[in-house]
Amino acid sequence: MNAAKRLEIFRRLHEDNPEPMTELAYTTPFELLVAVTLSAQATDVSVNKATAKLFPVANTPEAIYALGVEGLSEYIKTIGLYNSKAKNVIEACRILIEKHGSQVPDNREDLEALPGVGRKTANVVLNTAFRQLAMAVDTHIFRVSNRTGIAPGKNVVEVEKKLLKFVPKDYLLDAHHWLILHGRYVCVARKPRCGACRIEDLCEYKAKTSDD
């Protein structure tokens, strides 16, 4: 795909949604960190339902740490893998309290040192909470990048690097949100809704559908 096509794709995505945001509910970097950690292999809707009950009761490292694994598990047991996620969040809270003054670090190294925080979660926090140029590639973004031809790659790291290289600079900071929303609602996994797609004429996917 050439640069002119990519520029027009992101121009249209920006035109349709000038200020895209994550669908995870949060008000602080810590709440976002917890929500993203809980969202692994779970839907944002299920995470938001759980945190809507959790955060009014506990939304700081100290408050959640005080709940303990069992206490936290009660709030998040509707989410997949809740036991291991509860252990990770509690341990992450301990590290934040002891090593970071209860503040979420704004750098990759310290974020990825937290239990349950991998490259993707760190990228979401860096980009969304701290507005740094970071590209979190989940299944939706991986699919859209490959299917459209925007940034094809064999694995998530390859796609991440290509997106950082090829997405026009003016759109890079919000590209993560546009691509994830496009993959979630239009360029869906089973059968893309090409008939309802704003960038269908620019997309290089061969097996287009008429679905809208």
Side-chain angles (χ1 to χ4, degrees):
M1 179 176 287
N2 61 45
K5 267 190 183 181
R6 287 196 190 91
L7 181 62
E8 178 59 16
I9 283 172
F10 285 100
R11 189 199 67 77
R12 291 183 195 178
L13 294 175
H14 172 267
E15 184 177 68
D16 289 353
N17 187 3
E19 296 182 357
M21 293 185 292
T22 178
E23 293 186 315
L24 288 170
Y26 77 98
T27 57
T28 66
F30 176 70
E31 286 186 357
L32 178 64
L33 176 65
V34 172
V36 180
T37 301
L38 297 178
S39 72
Q41 298 179 44
T43 65
D44 287 1
V45 173
S46 68
V47 172
N48 288 341
K49 284 181 180 177
T51 57
K53 296 175 182 177
L54 171 65
F55 288 159
V57 175
N59 71 338
T60 65
E62 289 85 356
I64 288 184
Y65 187 69
L67 291 174
V69 173
E70 287 188 15
L72 177 57
S73 293
E74 280 300 307
Y75 287 98
I76 65 171
K77 62 186 178 183
T78 53
I79 300 173
L81 308 174
Y82 73 91
N83 271 325
S84 61
K85 290 177 181 178
K87 289 174 185 173
N88 283 336
V89 170
I90 292 298
E91 181 62 12
C93 287
R94 183 188 67 77
I95 294 171
L96 290 175
I97 294 166
E98 292 181 2
K99 293 188 177 181
H100 302 288
S102 298
Q103 299 300 305
V104 176
D106 61 358
N107 66 86
R108 179 185 305 283
E109 185 180 359
D110 286 337
L111 281 170
E112 290 189 12
L114 298 171
V117 178
R119 186 179 185 87
K120 185 182 77 172
T121 297
N123 280 338
V124 172
V125 173
L126 291 172
N127 178 256
T128 304
F130 298 114
R131 302 302 282 158
Q132 294 182 20
L133 288 180
M135 186 67 64
V137 178
D138 70 347
T139 54
H140 297 298
I141 294 176
F142 184 78
R143 179 175 66 254
V144 171
S145 298
N146 275 288
R147 191 183 269 169
T148 60
I150 290 173
K154 294 174 184 174
N155 55 61
V156 292
V157 175
E158 194 175 324
V159 170
E160 177 188 326
K161 288 178 179 177
K162 284 192 176 181
L163 285 169
L164 288 170
K165 181 180 179 181
F166 291 137
V167 173
K169 284 187 171 56
D170 288 349
Y171 300 111
L172 195 52
L173 200 56
D174 289 319
H176 160 79
H177 296 305
W178 286 315
L179 292 172
I180 198 171
L181 292 170
H182 192 68
R184 189 171 284 167
Y185 297 110
V186 182
C187 198
V188 294
R190 185 174 294 179
K191 192 178 182 184
R193 300 175 54 226
C194 300
C197 180
R198 270 282 269 144
I199 60 171
E200 182 189 8
D201 57 316
L202 301 165
C203 170
E204 297 182 353
Y205 182 54
K206 297 289 192 290
K208 286 182 180 156
T209 73
S210 57
D211 289 36
D212 57 7

